[in-house]
Amino acid sequence: MDEWHSLLNPQRAIPAKIVQLTGITNEMVRGAPLFAEVADSFMQFMADGIFVAHNVSFDYGFITHEFERIGRRFRFPKLCTCAGMRRRYPGHKSYGLGKLCEIYGISLDNHHRALCDARASAQLLNLINQKRSEEGDIGQAA
């Protein structure tokens, strides 16, 4: 599985609540590239892929907005591991990424950091695909 990641310089101060949630500080992003500087690299990584995330519309919306700000289009099929887990593994009280990782023994050391959350979502996607295979409907959407 290939990975792509980068901190980005948001060109403004990071709110204290976000620093507390993510552990990402203003000092950490001060020398990081601007979104426009990594957009081509990210598009090359995506190639003809599917954008997968837990609560996918949240992450997809941020990236789409950043591409629009630089006058470009970001359009990829989306797959939500939250929705997929609800469908394939019903009955949990919570379908938050942290709770699902706890239930299924998935490492989530830096929750709310993109790379960690993406790795966890990939493992949830593996569970979803395993269940789809067992149920015999591999050709249908998660």
Side-chain angles (χ1 to χ4, degrees):
M1 170 176 66
D2 290 338
E3 292 182 350
W4 185 99
H5 63 96
S6 176
L7 286 174
L8 297 173
N9 184 332
Q11 297 181 283
R12 60 180 162 259
I14 301 172
K17 183 177 179 180
I18 301 301
V19 172
Q20 183 180 7
L21 183 67
T22 66
I24 299 172
T25 66
N26 290 304
E27 293 76 29
M28 293 168 71
V29 299
R30 188 167 287 123
L34 302 178
F35 180 80
E37 296 170 324
V38 301
D40 287 339
S41 171
F42 184 63
M43 287 297 272
Q44 288 172 354
F45 172 77
M46 285 297 298
D48 61 352
I50 297 171
F51 191 91
V52 178
H54 203 71
N55 294 313
V56 71
S57 293
F58 178 81
D59 298 289
Y60 192 89
F62 272 103
I63 293 173
T64 300
H65 176 73
E66 288 302 316
F67 272 100
E68 287 171 357
R69 281 179 16 134
I70 62 170
R72 297 192 39 200
R73 189 172 169 200
F74 184 80
R75 199 88 173 250
F76 287 89
K78 301 184 284 189
L79 192 146
C80 181
T81 55
C82 183
M85 289 299 289
R86 285 182 189 279
R87 180 174 178 193
R88 301 293 172 178
Y89 295 86
H92 295 301
K93 288 182 181 176
S94 169
Y95 284 85
L97 185 59
K99 186 52 79 175
L100 289 174
C101 287
E102 184 181 312
I103 291 168
Y104 292 99
I106 296 170
S107 175
L108 192 63
D109 295 334
N110 288 311
H111 191 19
H112 299 296
R113 293 285 294 265
L115 185 58
C116 179
D117 287 2
R119 286 175 175 161
S121 295
Q123 290 186 54
L124 290 177
L125 180 60
N126 288 338
L127 287 175
I128 293 164
N129 286 335
Q130 178 183 335
K131 185 71 96 164
R132 288 174 61 208
S133 179
E134 291 168 6
E135 294 171 356
D137 62 349
I138 261 312
Q140 297 181 12

